[in-house]
């Protein structure tokens, strides 16, 4: 009898309990067209939450960066990295899809090393950003596969250029758009 009461209590609690979302990790191939252009990997970590709350994810992006330096006398393409750490909040409650807003703390470093007209051109461009917001829309293509287009801008704080790089040929405020193709675990 005691076991029957215990079983009925558990069933009644289970029937009225709200379902919680489980922890989810999404790994995505990432492309951003901006200054610099980025190709990389994005990780999204979503913790479980109550169904009445908006989901917030932690984001980490590591990208190969490519940037064109173009002044009156020369044109060169540099290569380097961009690292972003931030958070994303979905607008619909308890869903990991649809419209979202996100912001990143960003660090990038692009090095230039090229032979131009028989002369060696070297330099380094470095920037930081704490204001790097995006809005986007995550589309679930299947249970685990998602497509994630976004648009936004980046306000960069530039570190003084080294070598042949002067920061006058780069913009501090740049628009960007990108897309991620992700798989969730």
């Amino acid at each position: 009898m005691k076991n029957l009461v215990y079983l009925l209590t558990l069933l009644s609690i289970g029937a009225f309990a709200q379902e919680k979302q489980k922890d989810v990790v999404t790994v995505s191939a990432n492309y951003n067209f901006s200054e610099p252009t980025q190709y990389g990997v994005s990780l999204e970590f979503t913790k479980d939450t109550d169904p009445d709350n908006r989901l917030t994810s932690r984001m980490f992006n590591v990208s190969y960066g490519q940037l064109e330096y173009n002044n009156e006398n020369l044109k060169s393409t540099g290569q380097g990295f961009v690292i972003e750490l931030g958070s994303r909040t979905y607008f619909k409650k308890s869903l990991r899809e649809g419209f979202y807003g996100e912001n990143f703390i960003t660090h990038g470093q692009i090095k230039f090393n090229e032979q131009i007209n028989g002369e060696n051109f070297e330099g380094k461009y470095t920037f930081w950003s704490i204001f790097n917001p995006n809005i986007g829309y995550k589309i679930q293509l299947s249970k685990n596969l998602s497509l994630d287009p976004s648009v936004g801008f980046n306000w960069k704080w530039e570190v003084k250029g080294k070598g042949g790089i002067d920061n006058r040929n780069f913009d501090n405020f740049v628009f960007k758009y990108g897309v991620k193709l992700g798989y969730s675990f």
Side-chain angles (χ1 to χ4, degrees):
M1 183 69 175
K2 200 185 228 182
N3 289 339
L4 182 61
V5 171
Y6 180 68
L7 181 62
L8 289 175
T9 304
L10 284 176
L11 287 174
S12 65
I13 290 171
F16 293 106
Q18 303 233 350
E19 183 181 331
K20 289 183 110 180
Q21 299 269 346
K22 64 177 185 161
D23 294 355
V24 174
V25 176
T26 303
V27 178
S28 302
N30 182 22
Y31 170 77
N32 267 317
F33 179 78
S34 184
E35 185 182 279
T37 300
Q38 301 170 36
Y39 310 90
V41 175
S42 176
L43 300 171
E44 178 182 3
F45 303 95
T46 306
K47 288 285 192 189
D48 65 346
T49 186
D50 294 323
D52 295 332
N53 294 330
R54 289 189 172 92
L55 291 174
T56 298
S57 301
R58 301 291 174 235
M59 304 289 295
F60 180 67
N61 302 331
V62 178
S63 302
Y64 162 78
Q66 199 171 36
L67 180 62
E68 188 174 288
Y69 179 77
N70 191 4
N71 69 14
E72 299 167 1
N73 301 323
L74 66 101
K75 184 177 179 180
S76 178
T77 301
Q79 302 172 11
F81 67 89
V82 178
I83 297 173
E84 298 176 309
L85 181 63
S87 66
R88 171 187 287 181
T89 301
Y90 292 94
F91 295 159
K92 288 185 180 179
K93 292 182 178 180
S94 75
L95 288 178
R96 285 186 193 87
E97 61 183 299
F99 284 103
Y100 63 82
E102 63 187 3
N103 189 47
F104 295 99
I105 295 172
T106 305
H107 173 65
Q109 188 176 87
I110 307 295
K111 292 184 179 180
F112 296 84
N113 188 3
E114 194 172 345
Q115 287 286 335
I116 300 173
N117 298 329
E119 291 187 30
N120 194 25
F121 175 72
E122 291 183 13
K124 183 166 68 171
Y125 175 74
T126 305
F127 69 93
W128 289 89
S129 177
I130 60 171
F131 193 59
N132 188 357
N134 290 332
I135 58 169
Y137 191 86
K138 189 172 186 179
I139 304 162
Q140 286 297 134
L141 301 173
S142 69
K143 181 181 176 189
N144 294 32
L145 193 61
S146 62
L147 184 64
D148 189 350
S150 63
V151 295
F153 60 88
N154 187 1
W155 179 33
K156 300 184 291 186
W157 296 345
E158 299 171 331
V159 176
K160 183 178 178 185
K162 293 185 178 176
I165 298 297
D166 62 3
N167 292 349
R168 288 178 279 171
N169 292 306
F170 299 109
D171 292 326
N172 290 73
F173 187 85
V174 294
F175 289 97
K176 62 182 182 173
Y177 60 89
V179 66
K180 295 179 177 89
L181 181 61
Y183 187 83
S184 299
F185 298 94

